[in-house]
Amino acid sequence: MEEVSKLDKIIDARMKLKARFEEKMKNTPSVADDRPMGKGDINRHGMPQLPVGQTITQKWPVLDLGYHPDISLDRWRLTVDGDVENPVVLKWDDFMDLPQVEDTSDFHCVTTWSKMDMVWKGVRLMDIAALVQPKETATHIMCYGYDTYTTNVSMEEALKPDVLLAHTVYGEPLPKEHGGPVRMITPQLYAWKGSKWIKRIQFLPKNKLGFWEERGYSNTAYPWRNDRYS
């Protein structure tokens, strides 16, 4: 009964968050752009499947800051804090007790390659947010990795249903070199917006630059607008 109650609370909070940000999400470029740049069939969001300047790859290149943290499941923690009502620190079992979803999405790297139809399993960022209940002041999140990486995402992008904290890809645990045990994925933005080896999500009252954003990359990272640099 306690678990059902906990799930009910998450579902209720999720619906309130969705209502709060639904209009902003509907108006984001990866959904609402009437002149998107790209080619191929139309994807599930109404955009051309392959964004402008991208090439499809069957491989999955490894890109990072040059350091692959080795985080065992018993040591892994996810801190979720900032402008929230109920900050938490999740251990692995806590994380796995949250609603788990599978989703197939495309992965667009700013270095001009795209890997299509990747099959993920994980927890929606929306459900993490529902757990901690962001305050009305929250407009962005900052994601932190165990490798010291940081990146910023607006709330209307972070709360989209295909944004996951993924622990599984193609039915196997996420490999360390690709951010395992858990990384964030942002299918409607360039992939640098999804932190590998994620350890903290901080809700912010205003935008703040992350690692690549401080070095000239775009704050917004919209693939169908070729939005790579600031």
Side-chain angles (χ1 to χ4, degrees), residues 130-166:
L131 184 67
V132 299
Q133 298 184 31
K135 296 179 180 179
E136 291 291 332
T137 50
T139 62
H140 290 76
I141 63 171
M142 181 69 78
C143 300
Y144 299 80
Y146 275 95
D147 62 341
T148 75
Y149 186 72
T150 57
T151 189
N152 59 323
V153 186
S154 69
M155 289 285 286
E156 56 266 30
E157 292 291 349
L159 296 179
K160 288 181 175 180
D162 56 1
V163 175
L164 305 184
L165 270 62

PDB file of all heavy atoms in Angstrom, residues 130-166:
ATOM      1  N   ALA A 130       9.051  15.236 -10.510  1.00  0.00           N
ATOM      2  CA  ALA A 130       7.819  15.042  -9.742  1.00  0.00           C
ATOM      3  C   ALA A 130       8.129  14.614  -8.312  1.00  0.00           C
ATOM      4  O   ALA A 130       7.421  14.993  -7.368  1.00  0.00           O
ATOM      5  CB  ALA A 130       6.937  14.002 -10.427  1.00  0.00           C
ATOM      6  N   LEU A 131       9.192  13.854  -8.136  1.00  0.00           N
ATOM      7  CA  LEU A 131       9.583  13.394  -6.811  1.00  0.00           C
ATOM      8  C   LEU A 131      10.006  14.557  -5.916  1.00  0.00           C
ATOM      9  O   LEU A 131       9.668  14.597  -4.722  1.00  0.00           O
ATOM     10  CB  LEU A 131      10.724  12.389  -6.953  1.00  0.00           C
ATOM     11  CG  LEU A 131      11.230  11.693  -5.693  1.00  0.00           C
ATOM     12  CD1 LEU A 131      10.163  10.764  -5.119  1.00  0.00           C
ATOM     13  CD2 LEU A 131      12.512  10.914  -5.992  1.00  0.00           C
ATOM     14  N   VAL A 132      10.733  15.522  -6.479  1.00  0.00           N
ATOM     15  CA  VAL A 132      11.274  16.616  -5.657  1.00  0.00           C
ATOM     16  C   VAL A 132      10.411  17.874  -5.678  1.00  0.00           C
ATOM     17  O   VAL A 132      10.603  18.770  -4.865  1.00  0.00           O
ATOM     18  CB  VAL A 132      12.714  16.969  -6.093  1.00  0.00           C
ATOM     19  CG1 VAL A 132      13.625  15.768  -5.916  1.00  0.00           C
ATOM     20  CG2 VAL A 132      12.773  17.495  -7.527  1.00  0.00           C
ATOM     21  N   GLN A 133       9.486  17.980  -6.644  1.00  0.00           N
ATOM     22  CA  GLN A 133       8.558  19.110  -6.750  1.00  0.00           C
ATOM     23  C   GLN A 133       9.277  20.452  -6.896  1.00  0.00           C
ATOM     24  O   GLN A 133       9.473  21.188  -5.909  1.00  0.00           O
ATOM     25  CB  GLN A 133       7.606  19.140  -5.555  1.00  0.00           C
ATOM     26  CG  GLN A 133       6.725  17.910  -5.458  1.00  0.00           C
ATOM     27  CD  GLN A 133       5.719  17.982  -4.329  1.00  0.00           C
ATOM     28  OE1 GLN A 133       5.254  19.050  -3.965  1.00  0.00           O
ATOM     29  NE2 GLN A 133       5.374  16.831  -3.780  1.00  0.00           N
ATOM     30  N   PRO A 134       9.678  20.806  -8.115  1.00  0.00           N
ATOM     31  CA  PRO A 134      10.333  22.100  -8.353  1.00  0.00           C
ATOM     32  C   PRO A 134       9.453  23.262  -7.914  1.00  0.00           C
ATOM     33  O   PRO A 134       8.236  23.246  -8.088  1.00  0.00           O
ATOM     34  CB  PRO A 134      10.530  22.115  -9.875  1.00  0.00           C
ATOM     35  CG  PRO A 134      10.486  20.695 -10.291  1.00  0.00           C
ATOM     36  CD  PRO A 134       9.550  20.013  -9.340  1.00  0.00           C
ATOM     37  N   LYS A 135      10.082  24.267  -7.358  1.00  0.00           N
ATOM     38  CA  LYS A 135       9.360  25.473  -6.977  1.00  0.00           C
ATOM     39  C   LYS A 135       8.955  26.266  -8.220  1.00  0.00           C
ATOM     40  O   LYS A 135       9.497  26.050  -9.306  1.00  0.00           O
ATOM     41  CB  LYS A 135      10.234  26.335  -6.069  1.00  0.00           C
ATOM     42  CG  LYS A 135      10.568  25.683  -4.733  1.00  0.00           C
ATOM     43  CD  LYS A 135      11.459  26.571  -3.876  1.00  0.00           C
ATOM     44  CE  LYS A 135      11.784  25.905  -2.543  1.00  0.00           C
ATOM     45  NZ  LYS A 135      12.681  26.734  -1.698  1.00  0.00           N
ATOM     46  N   GLU A 136       8.023  27.182  -8.053  1.00  0.00           N
ATOM     47  CA  GLU A 136       7.556  28.009  -9.176  1.00  0.00           C
ATOM     48  C   GLU A 136       8.696  28.830  -9.769  1.00  0.00           C
ATOM     49  O   GLU A 136       8.635  29.242 -10.931  1.00  0.00           O
ATOM     50  CB  GLU A 136       6.432  28.934  -8.703  1.00  0.00           C
ATOM     51  CG  GLU A 136       5.135  28.227  -8.348  1.00  0.00           C
ATOM     52  CD  GLU A 136       4.423  27.644  -9.556  1.00  0.00           C
ATOM     53  OE1 GLU A 136       4.588  28.190 -10.657  1.00  0.00           O
ATOM     54  OE2 GLU A 136       3.719  26.633  -9.388  1.00  0.00           O
ATOM     55  N   THR A 137       9.734  29.062  -8.994  1.00  0.00           N
ATOM     56  CA  THR A 137      10.864  29.876  -9.447  1.00  0.00           C
ATOM     57  C   THR A 137      11.809  29.129 -10.387  1.00  0.00           C
ATOM     58  O   THR A 137      12.627  29.746 -11.060  1.00  0.00           O
ATOM     59  CB  THR A 137      11.674  30.369  -8.234  1.00  0.00           C
ATOM     60  OG1 THR A 137      11.951  29.246  -7.385  1.00  0.00           O
ATOM     61  CG2 THR A 137      10.900  31.411  -7.456  1.00  0.00           C
ATOM     62  N   ALA A 138      11.718  27.800 -10.436  1.00  0.00           N
ATOM     63  CA  ALA A 138      12.662  27.002 -11.225  1.00  0.00           C
ATOM     64  C   ALA A 138      12.426  27.177 -12.724  1.00  0.00           C
ATOM     65  O   ALA A 138      11.308  26.997 -13.211  1.00  0.00           O
ATOM     66  CB  ALA A 138      12.557  25.536 -10.850  1.00  0.00           C
ATOM     67  N   THR A 139      13.487  27.535 -13.453  1.00  0.00           N
ATOM     68  CA  THR A 139      13.392  27.721 -14.909  1.00  0.00           C
ATOM     69  C   THR A 139      14.343  26.821 -15.679  1.00  0.00           C
ATOM     70  O   THR A 139      14.133  26.578 -16.867  1.00  0.00           O
ATOM     71  CB  THR A 139      13.726  29.176 -15.289  1.00  0.00           C
ATOM     72  OG1 THR A 139      15.084  29.468 -14.907  1.00  0.00           O
ATOM     73  CG2 THR A 139      12.775  30.155 -14.611  1.00  0.00           C
ATOM     74  N   HIS A 140      15.400  26.323 -15.035  1.00  0.00           N
ATOM     75  CA  HIS A 140      16.426  25.511 -15.689  1.00  0.00           C
ATOM     76  C   HIS A 140      16.920  24.438 -14.725  1.00  0.00           C
ATOM     77  O   HIS A 140      16.681  24.519 -13.514  1.00  0.00           O
ATOM     78  CB  HIS A 140      17.627  26.369 -16.120  1.00  0.00           C
ATOM     79  CG  HIS A 140      17.340  27.302 -17.243  1.00  0.00           C
ATOM     80  ND1 HIS A 140      16.618  28.475 -17.060  1.00  0.00           N
ATOM     81  CD2 HIS A 140      17.671  27.254 -18.562  1.00  0.00           C
ATOM     82  CE1 HIS A 140      16.512  29.099 -18.224  1.00  0.00           C
ATOM     83  NE2 HIS A 140      17.145  28.379 -19.142  1.00  0.00           N
ATOM     84  N   ILE A 141      17.619  23.462 -15.284  1.00  0.00           N
ATOM     85  CA  ILE A 141      18.375  22.540 -14.450  1.00  0.00           C
ATOM     86  C   ILE A 141      19.840  22.595 -14.864  1.00  0.00           C
ATOM     87  O   ILE A 141      20.169  22.945 -15.996  1.00  0.00           O
ATOM     88  CB  ILE A 141      17.867  21.086 -14.555  1.00  0.00           C
ATOM     89  CG1 ILE A 141      18.033  20.532 -15.987  1.00  0.00           C
ATOM     90  CG2 ILE A 141      16.437  20.978 -14.080  1.00  0.00           C
ATOM     91  CD1 ILE A 141      17.756  19.048 -16.109  1.00  0.00           C
ATOM     92  N   MET A 142      20.702  22.268 -13.917  1.00  0.00           N
ATOM     93  CA  MET A 142      22.118  22.041 -14.206  1.00  0.00           C
ATOM     94  C   MET A 142      22.415  20.594 -13.868  1.00  0.00           C
ATOM     95  O   MET A 142      22.082  20.123 -12.772  1.00  0.00           O
ATOM     96  CB  MET A 142      23.011  22.972 -13.389  1.00  0.00           C
ATOM     97  CG  MET A 142      24.499  22.800 -13.665  1.00  0.00           C
ATOM     98  SD  MET A 142      24.984  23.352 -15.320  1.00  0.00           S
ATOM     99  CE  MET A 142      25.026  25.138 -15.061  1.00  0.00           C
ATOM    100  N   CYS A 143      23.013  19.885 -14.832  1.00  0.00           N
ATOM    101  CA  CYS A 143      23.366  18.491 -14.621  1.00  0.00           C
ATOM    102  C   CYS A 143      24.868  18.376 -14.394  1.00  0.00           C
ATOM    103  O   CYS A 143      25.655  19.022 -15.095  1.00  0.00           O
ATOM    104  CB  CYS A 143      22.971  17.653 -15.835  1.00  0.00           C
ATOM    105  SG  CYS A 143      21.205  17.702 -16.195  1.00  0.00           S
ATOM    106  N   TYR A 144      25.240  17.551 -13.431  1.00  0.00           N
ATOM    107  CA  TYR A 144      26.637  17.355 -13.053  1.00  0.00           C
ATOM    108  C   TYR A 144      27.009  15.887 -13.224  1.00  0.00           C
ATOM    109  O   TYR A 144      26.244  14.999 -12.803  1.00  0.00           O
ATOM    110  CB  TYR A 144      26.856  17.741 -11.593  1.00  0.00           C
ATOM    111  CG  TYR A 144      26.547  19.175 -11.247  1.00  0.00           C
ATOM    112  CD1 TYR A 144      25.234  19.591 -11.035  1.00  0.00           C
ATOM    113  CD2 TYR A 144      27.564  20.123 -11.111  1.00  0.00           C
ATOM    114  CE1 TYR A 144      24.936  20.907 -10.693  1.00  0.00           C
ATOM    115  CE2 TYR A 144      27.276  21.442 -10.770  1.00  0.00           C
ATOM    116  CZ  TYR A 144      25.961  21.822 -10.564  1.00  0.00           C
ATOM    117  OH  TYR A 144      25.671  23.134 -10.225  1.00  0.00           O
ATOM    118  N   GLY A 145      28.185  15.633 -13.810  1.00  0.00           N
ATOM    119  CA  GLY A 145      28.672  14.273 -13.952  1.00  0.00           C
ATOM    120  C   GLY A 145      29.793  13.969 -12.981  1.00  0.00           C
ATOM    121  O   GLY A 145      30.459  14.877 -12.469  1.00  0.00           O
ATOM    122  N   TYR A 146      30.021  12.682 -12.741  1.00  0.00           N
ATOM    123  CA  TYR A 146      31.140  12.256 -11.896  1.00  0.00           C
ATOM    124  C   TYR A 146      32.494  12.621 -12.502  1.00  0.00           C
ATOM    125  O   TYR A 146      33.513  12.586 -11.813  1.00  0.00           O
ATOM    126  CB  TYR A 146      31.075  10.748 -11.664  1.00  0.00           C
ATOM    127  CG  TYR A 146      30.183  10.331 -10.522  1.00  0.00           C
ATOM    128  CD1 TYR A 146      28.856   9.968 -10.750  1.00  0.00           C
ATOM    129  CD2 TYR A 146      30.660  10.282  -9.223  1.00  0.00           C
ATOM    130  CE1 TYR A 146      28.028   9.566  -9.703  1.00  0.00           C
ATOM    131  CE2 TYR A 146      29.842   9.886  -8.168  1.00  0.00           C
ATOM    132  CZ  TYR A 146      28.526   9.535  -8.417  1.00  0.00           C
ATOM    133  OH  TYR A 146      27.704   9.145  -7.372  1.00  0.00           O
ATOM    134  N   ASP A 147      32.509  12.966 -13.789  1.00  0.00           N
ATOM    135  CA  ASP A 147      33.763  13.381 -14.446  1.00  0.00           C
ATOM    136  C   ASP A 147      33.978  14.888 -14.378  1.00  0.00           C
ATOM    137  O   ASP A 147      34.849  15.415 -15.072  1.00  0.00           O
ATOM    138  CB  ASP A 147      33.762  12.929 -15.901  1.00  0.00           C
ATOM    139  CG  ASP A 147      32.640  13.559 -16.722  1.00  0.00           C
ATOM    140  OD1 ASP A 147      31.666  14.058 -16.117  1.00  0.00           O
ATOM    141  OD2 ASP A 147      32.725  13.563 -17.958  1.00  0.00           O
ATOM    142  N   THR A 148      33.201  15.600 -13.582  1.00  0.00           N
ATOM    143  CA  THR A 148      33.214  17.059 -13.389  1.00  0.00           C
ATOM    144  C   THR A 148      32.467  17.810 -14.485  1.00  0.00           C
ATOM    145  O   THR A 148      32.418  19.046 -14.466  1.00  0.00           O
ATOM    146  CB  THR A 148      34.640  17.667 -13.256  1.00  0.00           C
ATOM    147  OG1 THR A 148      35.290  17.718 -14.539  1.00  0.00           O
ATOM    148  CG2 THR A 148      35.481  16.884 -12.265  1.00  0.00           C
ATOM    149  N   TYR A 149      31.857  17.115 -15.441  1.00  0.00           N
ATOM    150  CA  TYR A 149      31.111  17.753 -16.530  1.00  0.00           C
ATOM    151  C   TYR A 149      29.862  18.439 -15.988  1.00  0.00           C
ATOM    152  O   TYR A 149      29.250  17.982 -15.019  1.00  0.00           O
ATOM    153  CB  TYR A 149      30.704  16.696 -17.547  1.00  0.00           C
ATOM    154  CG  TYR A 149      30.042  17.228 -18.789  1.00  0.00           C
ATOM    155  CD1 TYR A 149      30.773  17.919 -19.744  1.00  0.00           C
ATOM    156  CD2 TYR A 149      28.676  17.029 -19.010  1.00  0.00           C
ATOM    157  CE1 TYR A 149      30.167  18.403 -20.894  1.00  0.00           C
ATOM    158  CE2 TYR A 149      28.068  17.505 -20.158  1.00  0.00           C
ATOM    159  CZ  TYR A 149      28.815  18.201 -21.090  1.00  0.00           C
ATOM    160  OH  TYR A 149      28.212  18.675 -22.234  1.00  0.00           O
ATOM    161  N   THR A 150      29.474  19.535 -16.632  1.00  0.00           N
ATOM    162  CA  THR A 150      28.215  20.209 -16.323  1.00  0.00           C
ATOM    163  C   THR A 150      27.538  20.637 -17.620  1.00  0.00           C
ATOM    164  O   THR A 150      28.204  20.933 -18.611  1.00  0.00           O
ATOM    165  CB  THR A 150      28.435  21.467 -15.453  1.00  0.00           C
ATOM    166  OG1 THR A 150      29.345  22.358 -16.131  1.00  0.00           O
ATOM    167  CG2 THR A 150      29.000  21.110 -14.094  1.00  0.00           C
ATOM    168  N   THR A 151      26.210  20.675 -17.597  1.00  0.00           N
ATOM    169  CA  THR A 151      25.468  21.223 -18.734  1.00  0.00           C
ATOM    170  C   THR A 151      24.094  21.689 -18.266  1.00  0.00           C
ATOM    171  O   THR A 151      23.520  21.124 -17.326  1.00  0.00           O
ATOM    172  CB  THR A 151      25.334  20.200 -19.876  1.00  0.00           C
ATOM    173  OG1 THR A 151      24.794  20.843 -21.038  1.00  0.00           O
ATOM    174  CG2 THR A 151      24.461  19.027 -19.494  1.00  0.00           C
ATOM    175  N   ASN A 152      23.590  22.741 -18.905  1.00  0.00           N
ATOM    176  CA  ASN A 152      22.322  23.352 -18.515  1.00  0.00           C
ATOM    177  C   ASN A 152      21.217  23.008 -19.511  1.00  0.00           C
ATOM    178  O   ASN A 152      21.457  22.878 -20.711  1.00  0.00           O
ATOM    179  CB  ASN A 152      22.478  24.876 -18.435  1.00  0.00           C
ATOM    180  CG  ASN A 152      22.918  25.479 -19.762  1.00  0.00           C
ATOM    181  OD1 ASN A 152      23.704  24.899 -20.494  1.00  0.00           O
ATOM    182  ND2 ASN A 152      22.414  26.666 -20.070  1.00  0.00           N
ATOM    183  N   VAL A 153      19.995  22.861 -19.008  1.00  0.00           N
ATOM    184  CA  VAL A 153      18.830  22.562 -19.846  1.00  0.00           C
ATOM    185  C   VAL A 153      17.640  23.329 -19.288  1.00  0.00           C
ATOM    186  O   VAL A 153      17.440  23.362 -18.069  1.00  0.00           O
ATOM    187  CB  VAL A 153      18.504  21.048 -19.859  1.00  0.00           C
ATOM    188  CG1 VAL A 153      17.376  20.747 -20.845  1.00  0.00           C
ATOM    189  CG2 VAL A 153      19.736  20.210 -20.202  1.00  0.00           C
ATOM    190  N   SER A 154      16.855  23.948 -20.168  1.00  0.00           N
ATOM    191  CA  SER A 154      15.650  24.639 -19.708  1.00  0.00           C
ATOM    192  C   SER A 154      14.624  23.625 -19.219  1.00  0.00           C
ATOM    193  O   SER A 154      14.607  22.460 -19.639  1.00  0.00           O
ATOM    194  CB  SER A 154      15.047  25.472 -20.848  1.00  0.00           C
ATOM    195  OG  SER A 154      14.502  24.623 -21.851  1.00  0.00           O
ATOM    196  N   MET A 155      13.744  24.047 -18.341  1.00  0.00           N
ATOM    197  CA  MET A 155      12.732  23.152 -17.796  1.00  0.00           C
ATOM    198  C   MET A 155      11.819  22.592 -18.886  1.00  0.00           C
ATOM    199  O   MET A 155      11.466  21.414 -18.862  1.00  0.00           O
ATOM    200  CB  MET A 155      11.888  23.890 -16.748  1.00  0.00           C
ATOM    201  CG  MET A 155      12.615  24.190 -15.450  1.00  0.00           C
ATOM    202  SD  MET A 155      12.818  22.734 -14.398  1.00  0.00           S
ATOM    203  CE  MET A 155      11.155  22.528 -13.772  1.00  0.00           C
ATOM    204  N   GLU A 156      11.452  23.427 -19.857  1.00  0.00           N
ATOM    205  CA  GLU A 156      10.533  22.952 -20.891  1.00  0.00           C
ATOM    206  C   GLU A 156      11.154  21.880 -21.775  1.00  0.00           C
ATOM    207  O   GLU A 156      10.449  21.056 -22.370  1.00  0.00           O
ATOM    208  CB  GLU A 156      10.003  24.108 -21.749  1.00  0.00           C
ATOM    209  CG  GLU A 156      11.046  24.968 -22.408  1.00  0.00           C
ATOM    210  CD  GLU A 156      11.404  26.188 -21.590  1.00  0.00           C
ATOM    211  OE1 GLU A 156      11.325  26.143 -20.340  1.00  0.00           O
ATOM    212  OE2 GLU A 156      11.783  27.202 -22.207  1.00  0.00           O
ATOM    213  N   GLU A 157      12.477  21.850 -21.883  1.00  0.00           N
ATOM    214  CA  GLU A 157      13.147  20.771 -22.610  1.00  0.00           C
ATOM    215  C   GLU A 157      13.386  19.565 -21.703  1.00  0.00           C
ATOM    216  O   GLU A 157      13.194  18.417 -22.106  1.00  0.00           O
ATOM    217  CB  GLU A 157      14.477  21.257 -23.187  1.00  0.00           C
ATOM    218  CG  GLU A 157      14.347  22.281 -24.300  1.00  0.00           C
ATOM    219  CD  GLU A 157      13.750  21.700 -25.587  1.00  0.00           C
ATOM    220  OE1 GLU A 157      13.627  20.466 -25.693  1.00  0.00           O
ATOM    221  OE2 GLU A 157      13.400  22.498 -26.475  1.00  0.00           O
ATOM    222  N   ALA A 158      13.796  19.821 -20.477  1.00  0.00           N
ATOM    223  CA  ALA A 158      14.129  18.728 -19.564  1.00  0.00           C
ATOM    224  C   ALA A 158      12.928  17.858 -19.225  1.00  0.00           C
ATOM    225  O   ALA A 158      13.073  16.650 -18.988  1.00  0.00           O
ATOM    226  CB  ALA A 158      14.724  19.300 -18.277  1.00  0.00           C
ATOM    227  N   LEU A 159      11.728  18.435 -19.217  1.00  0.00           N
ATOM    228  CA  LEU A 159      10.536  17.704 -18.804  1.00  0.00           C
ATOM    229  C   LEU A 159       9.846  16.967 -19.945  1.00  0.00           C
ATOM    230  O   LEU A 159       8.802  16.342 -19.723  1.00  0.00           O
ATOM    231  CB  LEU A 159       9.547  18.666 -18.136  1.00  0.00           C
ATOM    232  CG  LEU A 159      10.030  19.313 -16.835  1.00  0.00           C
ATOM    233  CD1 LEU A 159       8.965  20.255 -16.290  1.00  0.00           C
ATOM    234  CD2 LEU A 159      10.417  18.278 -15.793  1.00  0.00           C
ATOM    235  N   LYS A 160      10.409  16.980 -21.128  1.00  0.00           N
ATOM    236  CA  LYS A 160       9.808  16.239 -22.233  1.00  0.00           C
ATOM    237  C   LYS A 160       9.872  14.735 -21.964  1.00  0.00           C
ATOM    238  O   LYS A 160      10.819  14.246 -21.336  1.00  0.00           O
ATOM    239  CB  LYS A 160      10.503  16.592 -23.546  1.00  0.00           C
ATOM    240  CG  LYS A 160      10.159  17.997 -24.023  1.00  0.00           C
ATOM    241  CD  LYS A 160      10.836  18.317 -25.337  1.00  0.00           C
ATOM    242  CE  LYS A 160      10.375  19.675 -25.869  1.00  0.00           C
ATOM    243  NZ  LYS A 160      11.021  20.015 -27.153  1.00  0.00           N
ATOM    244  N   PRO A 161       8.868  13.981 -22.426  1.00  0.00           N
ATOM    245  CA  PRO A 161       8.782  12.564 -22.047  1.00  0.00           C
ATOM    246  C   PRO A 161       9.899  11.676 -22.583  1.00  0.00           C
ATOM    247  O   PRO A 161      10.080  10.561 -22.089  1.00  0.00           O
ATOM    248  CB  PRO A 161       7.415  12.136 -22.605  1.00  0.00           C
ATOM    249  CG  PRO A 161       7.072  13.148 -23.641  1.00  0.00           C
ATOM    250  CD  PRO A 161       7.696  14.432 -23.186  1.00  0.00           C
ATOM    251  N   ASP A 162      10.658  12.135 -23.588  1.00  0.00           N
ATOM    252  CA  ASP A 162      11.755  11.304 -24.097  1.00  0.00           C
ATOM    253  C   ASP A 162      13.097  11.636 -23.448  1.00  0.00           C
ATOM    254  O   ASP A 162      14.122  11.056 -23.806  1.00  0.00           O
ATOM    255  CB  ASP A 162      11.861  11.399 -25.621  1.00  0.00           C
ATOM    256  CG  ASP A 162      12.021  12.822 -26.137  1.00  0.00           C
ATOM    257  OD1 ASP A 162      12.065  13.759 -25.321  1.00  0.00           O
ATOM    258  OD2 ASP A 162      12.082  12.990 -27.373  1.00  0.00           O
ATOM    259  N   VAL A 163      13.110  12.550 -22.482  1.00  0.00           N
ATOM    260  CA  VAL A 163      14.334  12.850 -21.732  1.00  0.00           C
ATOM    261  C   VAL A 163      14.417  11.852 -20.578  1.00  0.00           C
ATOM    262  O   VAL A 163      13.593  11.858 -19.664  1.00  0.00           O
ATOM    263  CB  VAL A 163      14.335  14.296 -21.204  1.00  0.00           C
ATOM    264  CG1 VAL A 163      15.557  14.546 -20.326  1.00  0.00           C
ATOM    265  CG2 VAL A 163      14.311  15.277 -22.373  1.00  0.00           C
ATOM    266  N   LEU A 164      15.417  10.986 -20.651  1.00  0.00           N
ATOM    267  CA  LEU A 164      15.555   9.912 -19.676  1.00  0.00           C
ATOM    268  C   LEU A 164      16.884   9.988 -18.941  1.00  0.00           C
ATOM    269  O   LEU A 164      17.882  10.469 -19.488  1.00  0.00           O
ATOM    270  CB  LEU A 164      15.498   8.540 -20.364  1.00  0.00           C
ATOM    271  CG  LEU A 164      14.307   8.185 -21.251  1.00  0.00           C
ATOM    272  CD1 LEU A 164      14.458   6.741 -21.727  1.00  0.00           C
ATOM    273  CD2 LEU A 164      13.000   8.383 -20.540  1.00  0.00           C
ATOM    274  N   LEU A 165      16.884   9.464 -17.730  1.00  0.00           N
ATOM    275  CA  LEU A 165      18.119   9.067 -17.071  1.00  0.00           C
ATOM    276  C   LEU A 165      18.246   7.579 -17.360  1.00  0.00           C
ATOM    277  O   LEU A 165      17.586   6.745 -16.733  1.00  0.00           O
ATOM    278  CB  LEU A 165      18.055   9.351 -15.567  1.00  0.00           C
ATOM    279  CG  LEU A 165      18.549  10.743 -15.149  1.00  0.00           C
ATOM    280  CD1 LEU A 165      17.701  11.838 -15.773  1.00  0.00           C
ATOM    281  CD2 LEU A 165      18.570  10.873 -13.652  1.00  0.00           C
ATOM    282  N   ALA A 166      19.064   7.257 -18.354  1.00  0.00           N
ATOM    283  CA  ALA A 166      19.103   5.909 -18.915  1.00  0.00           C
ATOM    284  C   ALA A 166      20.191   5.068 -18.264  1.00  0.00           C
ATOM    285  O   ALA A 166      21.327   5.517 -18.099  1.00  0.00           O
ATOM    286  CB  ALA A 166      19.335   5.981 -20.422  1.00  0.00           C
TER     287      ALA A 166
END
